[in-house]
Amino acid sequence: MRSWWRDLTDLVLPAECGGCGRPRAVLCDRCRAALGGRAPRRVRPAPEPRGLPPVHAAAPYADEVRAALLAHKERGALALARPLGEALAGAVRAGLGVPAARGRSGIHDGTGRAACAPVLLVPVPSARRAVRARGHDPARRIAYAAAGELRRTGVPAAVLVALRQRRPVADQSGLGSRQRLANVAGALAVTPGSARLLHRGRIVLVDDLMTTGATLAEAARAVRAAQGPPGPETEPAGKGREASSNSRPAFVYLGETWEGSEQRRTPPPVWSGADRQPGRTAKEADGESAGGTPGVVCAAVVAASPDAFGIHRN
């Protein structure tokens, strides 16, 4: 009877802290401080892959942070998505140059004027076999939580599930930087119908972890390839409405969604033509990019290799 009651309460209350194992806490105060108690920083792996956009991380991948990420990813501690998402939102703000202060201050460009384009968080996809084994996509779930946190602090943000794996890749855990680059080269592509939406906001690639940067560099390549030269994809809203239904992806969410269920905190409308910003030319898109990566403003991760925090190059 006692065991049955404990199992039942574990469904409602967290059994232990995801970082240190302290009982009855999703993430204790000490582990929260390790995850988000410091300002996110620019991180750069060595060697740095060609095409890698500027990356900001909330914390080094070590100790409590490592344990929390693994608990969420591998052990199904889904309640950790919220604190991990809050940490990721901080890294997104750092990459965009948005102050971390709470409030409805919104997002501004370099001149202090309010920026119209929303922030589009594009999560790096997990392998299909990994999603089946885990029962969820960790990076996507954390991205939803991050978008919700950004909106609560005045930053218009949405999740655009625009990337897919076009071919299987090997497990990267035992591979070096060059092997990882070869493993993921050409492995990602933009989903049908998503290329049009990539022009409608400030693209931020997001993932839970960066080690060598190979996967983020491949994701940036896939986004650039999908955006391509000026053409129908940069036409003003209202044109090209005769496109097929699969040109309207059902994955741009303005409300928080519990993955794998039909429960939503707010209705998640798909962007319609009235919501979209006027089409932009490739030159305008390049003007918003950073690090010489057209179409991608920056990238953000919850954690990065500790070595990546110690590398600073101008």
Side-chain angles (χ1 to χ4, degrees):
M1 181 70 176
R2 186 175 181 178
S3 176
W4 173 84
W5 176 252
R6 178 173 296 176
D7 291 342
L8 181 62
T9 56
D10 285 347
L11 294 175
V12 181
L13 300 173
E16 60 183 23
C17 169
C20 66
R22 182 172 299 178
R24 297 291 176 248
V26 174
L27 203 63
C28 70
D29 292 342
R30 187 184 72 177
C31 293
R32 282 183 182 272
L35 179 63
R38 69 192 78 185
R41 290 175 54 185
R42 172 82 182 270
V43 289
R44 306 181 78 162
E48 185 172 346
R50 182 179 180 181
L52 181 70
V55 185
H56 283 74
Y61 185 63
D63 304 326
E64 296 92 345
V65 174
R66 180 178 182 274
L69 281 170
L70 288 176
H72 175 261
K73 178 183 287 187
E74 305 295 352
R75 298 199 298 276
L78 304 184
L80 288 168
R82 183 165 185 174
L84 293 173
E86 291 171 352
L88 180 60
V92 172
R93 291 191 201 98
L96 296 174
V98 179
R102 300 186 67 86
R104 307 297 296 181
S105 58
I107 182 170
H108 296 78
D109 59 19
T111 65
R113 297 172 300 182
C116 295
V119 176
L120 297 181
L121 305 184
V122 178
V124 174
S126 298
R128 293 180 181 178
R129 63 181 181 275
V131 173
R132 288 194 297 268
R134 294 167 179 156
H136 74 124
D137 187 325
R140 185 187 301 187
R141 187 180 292 273
I142 295 171
Y144 288 142
E149 174 66 14
L150 288 169
R151 291 192 298 271
R152 282 190 291 271
T153 55
V155 180
V159 176
L160 175 59
V161 183
L163 293 172
R164 64 177 178 87
Q165 285 197 347
R166 62 193 301 181
R167 63 169 177 80
V169 298
D171 183 3
Q172 302 217 109
S173 58
L175 303 181
S177 57
R178 290 186 179 180
Q179 293 171 316
R180 291 189 180 208
L181 282 171
N183 186 39
V184 300
L188 299 181
V190 168
T191 59
S194 292
R196 183 181 301 274
L197 293 180
L198 290 172
H199 293 280
R200 310 305 181 182
R202 296 161 62 85
I203 303 297
V204 181
L205 300 173
V206 296
D207 205 351
D208 56 350
L209 173 66
M210 184 193 76
T211 50
T212 65
T215 305
L216 284 172
E218 168 59 18
R221 181 210 60 78
V223 169
R224 292 198 308 271
Q227 288 181 320
E233 295 294 337
T234 57
E235 290 181 351
K239 293 185 178 181
R241 296 264 178 103
E242 68 277 8
S244 63
S245 60
N246 63 7
S247 68
R248 281 189 69 197
F251 297 118
V252 179
Y253 292 150
L254 301 182
E256 296 176 70
T257 301
W258 295 112
E259 185 177 327
S261 73
E262 297 300 323
Q263 298 176 350
R264 296 186 175 98
R265 294 181 180 177
T266 56
V270 178
W271 266 343
S272 63
D275 299 318
R276 296 174 180 170
Q277 299 296 323
R280 296 177 297 158
T281 65
K283 181 177 180 181
E284 291 171 330
D286 289 353
E288 290 188 1
S289 66
T293 309
V296 178
V297 176
C298 61
V301 295
V302 176
S305 169
D307 293 339
F309 282 80
I311 299 174
H312 302 283
R313 294 190 294 269
N314 294 325

